[in-house]
Amino acid sequence: MEFTTDIFKQFDKKWALLTAGTMEKFNTMTISWGGLGTLWNKPVASVYVRTSRYTHDFMDEAEYFTVSFYPEEFRKTLGVLGSKSGRNMDKMHVEGLTAVEAGDSVTFAEAEVTLLCRKMFRQQLAVENIPAEIVSQYYDGDAPHDLYIGEVVKIL
């Protein structure tokens, strides 16, 4: 497997879609927080999902998830997917994207790169362990994030 990129810009500047579930029932959301690296001698992707997000339920239930990256022309679509909930819209048929199977998960045909990940770890971020200025900026009255780490089993 090989994935060459500017690791620090991949999530923050390009964004990504995090998708979990099956072709019959899945949800996807735009993410700008994440990381790629090595843990337990395995290539991994880490993602962060607020407990209040609809995708959180899918992440807890699924064994696999995908992280996919898109060309700039899909920025507006990713903006919609990051601001609208799958509880209130049909993300399976969002305009401009074509859902396709990715192993035991889902991605979109328009992705430049998709990382198929097997979930290895989940833990809620403990707000008491986060610096106060970050808590006030990101968590003041809002749900915490759970950290998910998945082994990258395939790059599509």
Side-chain angles (χ1 to χ4, degrees):
M1 293 187 303
E2 187 172 321
F3 180 44
T4 305
T5 187
D6 181 339
I7 206 78
F8 295 109
K9 291 183 180 173
Q10 195 64 40
F11 285 96
D12 186 43
K13 301 299 181 204
K14 287 194 74 169
W15 299 347
L17 288 180
L18 170 65
T19 308
T22 65
M23 285 298 292
E24 291 75 38
K25 186 176 181 185
F26 69 87
N27 200 58
T28 191
M29 64 181 270
T30 303
I31 59 173
S32 64
W33 291 3
L36 302 171
T38 305
L39 181 64
W40 302 312
N41 295 321
K42 298 179 183 300
V44 296
S46 60
V47 295
Y48 304 85
V49 182
R50 284 191 193 276
T51 56
S52 59
R53 297 295 295 261
Y54 188 51
T55 302
H56 188 274
D57 296 338
F58 288 85
M59 288 293 289
D60 279 350
E61 294 170 12
E63 182 179 355
Y64 290 86
F65 62 90
T66 62
V67 178
S68 51
F69 301 96
Y70 296 81
E72 185 64 30
E73 66 204 61
F74 290 93
R75 187 84 160 166
K76 183 177 177 186
T77 301
L78 270 64
V80 170
L81 292 172
S83 62
K84 305 289 184 189
S85 174
R87 289 184 185 103
N88 304 321
M89 74 176 283
D90 181 5
K91 289 189 176 183
M92 289 178 65
H93 300 99
V94 69
E95 186 176 330
L97 295 178
T98 309
V100 294
E101 269 186 288
D104 291 330
S105 192
V106 178
T107 189
F108 297 91
E110 296 76 12
E112 291 179 316
V113 174
T114 295
L115 308 177
L116 174 62
C117 303
R118 181 181 59 83
K119 187 172 59 181
M120 299 172 63
F121 180 83
R122 178 188 69 75
Q123 183 172 19
Q124 189 168 91
L125 298 182
V127 176
E128 62 273 12
N129 294 333
I130 301 171
E133 66 273 9
I134 293 174
V135 171
S136 66
Q137 183 176 1
Y138 293 102
Y139 298 106
D140 190 26
D142 210 343
H145 285 87
D146 278 358
L147 160 65
Y148 293 88
I149 300 174
E151 176 186 4
V152 179
V153 296
K154 194 170 198 178
I155 298 175
L156 308 167

